[in-house]
Amino acid sequence: MIRQTVCALTAVACITGAAWAQDKQSIVTVVKVIGVNWFTRMGEGVKEFGAANASVATSMVGPAQGDPAQQLRVIEDLVAKKSSAIAVVPMDPSTIEGVLKRAMERGIVVVTHEADTARNTQADIEAFDNTAFGARLNDRLAKCMGESGKWTTFVGSLGSRTHMQWASGGAGNAAKYPKMALVDAHNETFDNANKAYEKAKEILRKHPDIEGFQGSSAIDAIGIGRAVEEAGLQHKTCVFGVGLPQDAGKYLETGAIDGISFWDPKDAGLVMNQVAKLLLDGKPITDGMNLGTRGYDKVSVKKGPGKGVVITGQAWVDVDKSNYKQYPF
């Protein structure tokens, strides 16, 4: 008997889906928001894992807007329908602790990504050390700014653990550049490029002499770049952030964005499903193990804040105008 897909049963958007037989393991990946390229790319990893593992039905769902409450309802639906495993990228980890606890109590395997403070997960996967990543991004910004001038930070939400770690890592790093001044930090954009654009215009009005922007959401740099370009400041400001080459390419070419960093969300989707499968099969996750994906071939494994573990890879990629075309996504 083939069950109806989770995507069809929930009032949410769905990128990939696969009906699963009752005797199959099912792994559902829950993303922050459907419809942005970052998570579309993650869906490719989910599909690839499912294609390579015939005994597992994989699918990916998420809210149509970057809203913690909407993502919570998506997960509540999955717990009620008792999929075998849930792999989630939380919009706000604290919001879903309760529902993840109920999932685990019902025997559902829980894996998280970008949530190293989550207590109710069996394994949280980090693409890299987040504070070091924020510092690395800031070093590139500082070099562009000549280590001097006003700069600010953008985050998808104040509740986004990784975004805040990257922003804080950047601020901590900038302390070694005494001529750099952080102003109006942690501008919240809710993973929405239009909100990032409006917020960047607001910052430019308030600080017409600002020289640097450091974005955290996958689309912050796009919104900032658009505002900078419209203001004719592409050669006077420095913009660095997290993003995908396909999204940022237009602004990298004009100089409105100077550089982006990322980890391949497809690989993150693959690894989340790989770890969920290991846990479903009762196999151990050990320090230094190879998860079979670039950047996760020698992972660090340590105890998490709850009973689970935090798995950290070395999967970051830095690009600028000179090399972004090497990454066709």
Side-chain angles (χ1 to χ4, degrees):
M1 175 183 175
I2 302 297
R3 293 173 61 185
Q4 198 173 4
T5 68
V6 169
C7 305
L9 287 169
T10 55
V12 296
C14 166
I15 283 182
T16 65
W20 68 77
Q22 285 183 323
D23 58 348
K24 270 191 171 186
Q25 294 174 334
S26 58
I27 303 174
V28 183
T29 302
V30 183
V31 297
K32 293 180 182 179
V33 59
I34 290 289
V36 298
N37 285 338
W38 185 274
F39 292 116
T40 300
R41 175 74 176 173
M42 183 171 284
E44 293 178 23
V46 173
K47 281 184 177 178
E48 185 171 308
F49 183 84
N53 293 271
S55 64
V56 183
T58 64
S59 60
M60 190 173 95
V61 297
Q65 296 181 337
D67 179 0
Q70 289 189 29
Q71 188 183 47
L72 171 64
R73 289 194 288 275
V74 172
I75 301 172
E76 287 174 338
D77 279 346
L78 296 175
V79 173
K81 294 171 176 62
K82 203 175 185 310
S83 58
S84 307
I86 298 172
V88 57
V89 189
M91 185 75 189
D92 181 345
S94 64
T95 303
I96 59 172
E97 286 278 17
V99 71
L100 294 186
K101 183 174 186 290
R102 290 198 297 278
M104 291 168 63
E105 288 171 347
R106 295 196 65 184
I108 298 171
V109 163
V110 172
V111 173
T112 52
H113 177 47
E114 297 188 61
D116 65 359
T117 57
R119 298 186 63 82
N120 293 293
T121 180
Q122 283 151 281
D124 176 71
I125 301 164
E126 301 296 313
F128 35 66
D129 179 282
N130 288 301
T131 300
F133 179 74
R136 183 185 179 96
L137 204 57
N138 185 260
D139 262 336
R140 298 172 71 199
L141 176 70
K143 183 178 180 181
C144 177
M145 293 173 58
E147 302 178 7
S148 176
K150 290 182 180 178
W151 69 288
T152 191
T153 55
F154 280 42
V155 295
S157 75
L158 297 176
S160 176
R161 168 70 175 166
T162 51
H163 292 191
M164 294 299 287
Q165 285 177 304
W166 301 336
S168 297
N173 184 74
K176 66 185 182 186
Y177 303 115
K179 294 182 180 178
M180 287 177 65
L182 178 60
V183 296
D184 291 330
H186 302 158
N187 295 282
E188 205 168 15
T189 62
F190 302 98
D191 291 87
N192 183 307
N194 286 327
K195 285 187 169 56
Y197 163 71
E198 294 295 340
K199 182 60 71 172
K201 288 202 301 182
E202 180 183 323
I203 292 291
L204 288 169
R205 284 193 296 270
K206 185 175 180 181
H207 301 283
D209 56 343
I210 196 163
E211 295 185 34
F213 291 85
Q214 180 171 328
S216 301
S217 164
I219 44 71
D220 281 351
I222 302 168
I224 298 167
R226 179 183 165 198
V228 164
E229 189 168 82
E230 284 186 3
L233 297 172
Q234 58 268 39
H235 301 302
K236 295 182 179 178
T237 60
C238 295
V239 177
F240 285 81
V242 179
L244 289 182
Q246 184 181 63
D247 295 335
K250 170 186 172 184
Y251 296 111
L252 286 168
E253 288 290 340
T254 65
I257 296 176
D258 298 273
I260 58 170
S261 296
F262 56 92
W263 66 108
D264 190 339
K266 176 184 175 183
D267 292 342
L270 271 168
V271 170
M272 279 195 292
N273 279 258
Q274 173 70 14
V275 169
K277 174 65 172 165
L278 289 171
L279 292 169
L280 284 169
D281 294 344
K283 295 182 179 177
I285 296 171
T286 57
D287 189 45
M289 74 185 300
N290 184 352
L291 293 175
T293 300
R294 185 197 63 81
Y296 303 89
D297 45 2
K298 190 176 181 181
V299 296
S300 165
V301 178
K302 65 180 181 182
K303 187 181 180 309
K307 293 182 180 179
V309 296
V310 176
I311 302 169
T312 305
Q314 307 87 30
W316 55 37
V317 181
D318 299 328
V319 301
D320 55 24
K321 181 180 178 180
S322 69
N323 65 341
Y324 78 92
K325 291 180 181 177
Q326 295 175 20
Y327 301 90
F329 56 85

